[in-house]
Amino acid sequence: MSKYEIMILVNPTSTEESVKELLFSVLDEKNTKFERLERTELAYPINKLTRASYYLILTKAQPESIKELTRKFNIDKTILRSLIINLNSEKGLKPRKQKRFTKRIFENRRPSDKSENKETTEERKTESRKTFVKKTEQVEK
């Protein structure tokens, strides 16, 4: 048997007894902790509803019974959303370590002076003008 945490959003017009009846038709009451959290405003409408009731269920159950519970959640129209988390499989996950930013040192780079860059660009411009003039002279001949 695995531990599960189940969070469901229920239509606010449905009663707590109807939700318990749906849950305990599949789950065992001894191994289940049922808690009604609150009735809140939703961030966006679900089935044209802007409010919902939240329920948190902690249980120990077989995977087959969780499949059956999911099937019943999908059939029942009062259950708006559900989330089922297997706590046994989630326990072993560790957060990834963030890599620290390290300053890179480029040793192979040429030192760049703005004056040198200007000179080289001027030299390139004059060279390209010379080649252009040579080509035009060849075409005229």
Side-chain angles (χ1 to χ4, degrees):
M1 289 185 24
S2 299
K3 289 183 181 180
Y4 290 95
E5 182 179 80
I6 304 167
M7 174 74 88
I8 55 174
L9 280 125
V10 181
N11 189 335
T13 58
S14 66
T15 62
E16 187 172 333
E17 288 78 29
S18 65
V19 176
K20 280 186 177 181
E21 183 181 319
L22 175 69
L23 280 171
F24 295 133
S25 67
V26 178
L27 300 175
D28 185 24
E29 286 190 52
K30 289 188 283 183
N31 296 329
T32 304
K33 181 182 174 188
F34 181 83
E35 182 181 354
R36 180 171 188 235
L37 296 179
E38 57 188 61
R39 182 177 166 198
T40 60
E41 191 84 18
L42 297 174
Y44 57 89
I46 301 172
N47 297 339
K48 298 181 183 178
L49 295 172
T50 56
R51 292 183 162 271
S53 298
Y54 286 78
Y55 291 96
L56 178 67
I57 300 103
L58 295 170
T59 186
K60 284 185 180 180
Q62 297 292 332
E64 295 81 23
S65 61
I66 297 298
K67 286 180 187 177
E68 178 65 20
L69 185 67
T70 305
R71 188 184 73 78
K72 286 195 175 192
F73 282 166
N74 290 335
I75 292 171
D76 195 356
K77 297 297 179 191
T78 59
I79 307 293
L80 302 176
R81 295 281 190 274
S82 65
L83 177 67
I84 301 173
I85 299 173
N86 186 341
L87 296 176
N88 292 344
S89 65
E90 294 292 323
K91 183 172 65 173
L93 297 178
K94 294 179 183 176
R96 294 176 70 189
K97 289 186 178 179
Q98 294 287 336
K99 291 184 179 179
R100 287 187 154 193
F101 176 75
T102 57
K103 188 174 181 179
R104 294 183 182 178
I105 300 171
F106 296 103
E107 295 174 2
N108 298 339
R109 273 194 170 172
R110 292 182 287 159
S112 62
D113 291 335
K114 292 184 179 180
S115 60
E116 286 181 17
N117 288 341
K118 287 182 182 178
E119 290 173 4
T120 55
T121 54
E122 290 297 322
E123 289 173 4
R124 288 183 190 151
K125 285 181 185 178
T126 56
E127 287 177 11
S128 64
R129 286 182 192 152
K130 288 178 186 176
T131 56
F132 178 73
V133 171
K134 286 181 182 178
K135 287 182 180 177
T136 54
E137 288 176 359
Q138 289 175 357
V139 172
E140 290 176 0
K141 290 182 182 181

